[in-house]
Amino acid sequence: MTQLSLNEGEGFDADRDEEEVVIALWLPADFPMGDLLQTCGRLSESGVCAPGYVPPPVGLYEPDGFFYEQHVEHIATTLLPDRNVVSRLAQLAQGKAVRGDEQLRIAAGLLAFAQCLNIEVEPSIAFHELAHKQGNEEAWDELGWFRAANNASPQDLLNLALERQDALAGQYSAHKDVSTHDLAKPIKRWNRNYIIALKMVELEQLAGLCPVDRVLRLFEWMHDDFMFGGPAALMASVYFAPNAPPKRRVFKDKNSLDREAAIAGIRNAAWDLTHLSEFVRRVNEEGHEGKMRYLFASFDKHLRSIAKLLIDFGTDRSGDDALPEALSQWWGRTDAERIVANLRTHIDRIQSPEWRAKVAPRQDFIGGLIDKERGTARPRSNPWTVATERSSSRTKKPASRAGWVLEHRLELFRDQLGVVASLGTCPGCGFQSLLALRRHTGNAL
């Protein structure tokens, strides 16, 4: 057994007026502490994780911090990986070699880090996303390979992470005891995020709006005609910024000549929002005094930046100047302060004792109405097919790229307005506008 001493008060913030206490932990003799420390250093360089809490002074990836929290404070940690991280974890078990894909090494190090420090990996949203795109069978198969990777030898994973080998040395098989839940069943949060993503694309393509007005127009629309979403609001605050925002990776292929690829990019952005909102939901539910902490893992620097903004802005440690300062890397200071002031107005409204959450007239209200739109588009062999996928029924193609782009943008406008308009149809009386529906149902949505 290996003895590990942790000095309370040296590297940890002890709120108690006690004498310094030395806490000794005995680890198994074969515990790979040296390799784990090297791997933690590489994970720190990659910045692959965004924490939903204030990391200890010793550092986010420092093993001593996790040992102390688990054995002294009795706090557990859960890792929430996004789709790309989960995909690479499954590929590891399948024997895929690195061959230039350094993200595979980071994934191996991240999984070894989680195994050695008893961090649970919760990939459910990632598999809902896969089932959405490729169906249940594909998701169940990859879930079996993920389970295999999650039970791989920690030393095998560490050897790959530390460049001693280019693939896992062990032979692993996909787990067959995977529960065949309907992962392709629509998630209501994704439906809402998809509508917001469509609105963002529409606002971007409207001529005559300056960047800050696009952000404020989205806030106004969410307040008046839909529902206010913090993750979407902050993503828009970065996406519409004029100073080198990471636009390319948000709506992939939005200007592609392949309209299906453009719509797929918008759906992908809705999944990014869903990963973020799930992360924030779990953090908020646990609260400051909870015994579970969360790490969001992604290779996408933009997503991690948004996650950090969400956590920093939504905690007591965030000062009044924190968010304007953060947004100022993409905006002028005046516009950043204007966005934050508008955002705080909406947040204050939501947090007011007089505020009442919008309640759907029935449980499947949003999903049912979007499904109604999908049914008019194409056969319902895929439950995720949406009204925006109507291009296959149109055979005439503009002669020029400029003509196609104009038609493509008009189609996005029509699709977005069609989906949103459908949300405003009250099954009881046939009201067509969202504003009328909100008044008719007492702000129910």
Side-chain angles (χ1 to χ4, degrees):
M1 303 291 284
T2 300
Q3 179 177 337
L4 177 68
S5 295
L6 307 176
N7 294 326
E8 186 178 28
E10 295 181 3
F12 299 96
D13 286 332
D15 295 326
R16 299 177 291 274
D17 294 329
E18 299 177 355
E19 294 182 0
E20 182 178 302
V21 177
V22 176
I23 301 162
L25 298 177
W26 278 264
L27 301 173
D30 60 349
F31 188 86
M33 180 59 79
D35 286 351
L36 176 60
L37 289 172
Q38 290 185 57
T39 299
C40 289
R42 297 192 178 204
L43 292 176
S44 181
E45 291 175 4
S46 73
V48 67
C49 291
Y53 56 94
V54 180
V58 292
L60 176 60
Y61 300 95
E62 176 59 47
D64 284 0
F66 291 93
F67 291 141
Y68 180 85
E69 289 175 346
Q70 291 169 11
H71 297 283
V72 178
E73 300 290 348
H74 306 292
I75 294 174
T77 304
T78 295
L79 180 71
L80 304 174
D82 74 358
R83 174 83 208 102
N84 288 332
V85 173
V86 171
S87 175
R88 280 164 177 78
L89 293 177
Q91 290 169 7
L92 290 172
Q94 293 170 326
K96 183 175 180 179
V98 172
R99 292 175 184 168
D101 186 357
E102 289 302 313
Q103 290 180 350
L104 277 172
R105 290 201 195 277
I106 297 173
L110 183 64
L111 188 55
F113 169 78
Q115 289 182 348
C116 291
L117 299 175
N118 293 322
I119 297 172
E120 180 182 355
V121 182
E122 171 50 77
S124 59
I125 296 296
F127 284 107
H128 279 291
E129 181 179 355
L130 179 59
H132 162 197
K133 296 177 179 178
Q134 300 183 36
N136 274 324
E137 294 289 341
E138 190 74 20
W140 296 334
D141 179 68
E142 184 167 301
L143 179 56
W145 284 109
F146 165 79
R147 294 267 179 84
N150 204 26
N151 286 275
S153 161
Q155 189 61 62
D156 200 3
L157 291 164
L158 288 167
N159 288 340
L160 176 55
L162 296 175
E163 301 183 39
R164 296 169 185 156
Q165 56 197 41
D166 288 330
L168 292 183
Q171 298 296 314
Y172 303 99
S173 300
H175 284 212
K176 302 299 183 184
D177 58 342
V178 173
S179 299
T180 54
H181 296 298
D182 185 7
L183 298 174
K185 183 178 180 180
I187 298 177
K188 293 178 182 178
R189 183 175 295 137
W190 182 88
N191 288 338
R192 297 192 292 265
N193 288 330
Y194 178 60
I195 294 167
I196 294 172
L198 285 166
K199 185 68 176 180
M200 288 173 63
V201 172
E202 177 199 347
L203 288 171
E204 183 182 25
Q205 295 171 339
L206 287 178
L209 283 181
C210 66
V212 70
D213 286 339
R214 291 190 171 98
V215 177
L216 301 182
R217 184 78 66 87
L218 180 70
F219 292 177
E220 180 182 358
W221 172 81
M222 287 194 290
H223 171 271
D224 292 342
D225 292 340
F226 197 46
M227 57 186 64
F228 202 85
L234 276 179
M235 177 177 277
S237 298
V238 176
Y239 179 75
F240 287 129
N243 301 330
K247 284 178 178 283
R248 183 178 61 85
R249 295 188 59 81
V250 178
F251 296 109
K252 300 178 179 69
D253 299 317
K254 70 177 187 293
N255 294 320
S256 172
L257 291 176
D258 181 352
R259 187 167 175 277
E260 295 294 324
I263 295 300
I266 299 174
R267 285 201 218 99
N268 185 74
W271 277 112
D272 288 345
L273 285 171
T274 303
H275 281 286
L276 292 174
S277 59
E278 176 67 7
F279 174 47
V280 172
R281 181 190 69 80
R282 287 175 178 259
V283 171
N284 286 340
E285 283 186 355
E286 196 64 26
H288 294 292
E289 303 301 323
K291 294 297 184 179
M292 178 63 72
R293 289 179 171 169
Y294 293 95
L295 293 168
F296 173 64
S298 175
F299 297 126
D300 189 327
K301 183 179 179 180
H302 166 67
L303 271 190
R304 298 197 305 267
S305 297
I306 298 297
K308 186 177 186 304
L309 285 176
L310 285 166
I311 298 303
D312 287 350
F313 185 58
T315 61
D316 292 339
R317 73 179 186 271
S318 176
D320 291 340
D321 199 47
L323 189 57
E325 185 68 29
L327 291 180
S328 292
Q329 60 185 303
W330 300 295
W331 295 90
R333 184 70 186 197
T334 300
D335 284 341
E337 291 176 347
R338 186 180 174 193
I339 290 170
V340 172
N342 194 285
L343 180 59
R344 283 186 175 136
T345 297
H346 292 295
I347 291 175
D348 290 343
R349 174 185 60 85
I350 293 171
Q351 294 177 343
S352 168
E354 293 78 26
W355 183 78
R356 294 294 179 268
K358 297 175 182 178
V359 179
R362 62 178 188 273
Q363 187 174 4
D364 65 341
F365 181 64
I366 291 179
L369 291 175
I370 293 180
D371 191 58
K372 178 182 176 182
E373 288 292 319
R374 289 198 293 264
T376 65
R378 113 182 3 173
R380 296 172 62 182
S381 57
N382 181 347
W384 285 91
T385 304
V386 295
T388 53
E389 297 176 307
R390 288 198 283 266
S391 62
S392 60
S393 64
R394 300 182 175 95
T395 57
K396 185 176 180 180
K397 187 174 182 179
S400 67
R401 175 180 174 84
W404 185 92
V405 170
L406 176 60
E407 178 179 305
H408 169 67
R409 291 179 175 177
L410 290 173
E411 291 299 336
L412 285 176
F413 299 162
R414 282 194 287 268
D415 290 338
Q416 191 272 333
L417 292 173
V419 174
V420 173
S422 74
L423 287 173
T425 303
C426 176
C429 68
F431 275 82
Q432 291 297 313
S433 75
L434 277 167
L435 187 58
L437 177 61
R438 290 172 62 244
R439 290 170 178 165
H440 178 68
T441 59
N443 283 338
L445 185 59

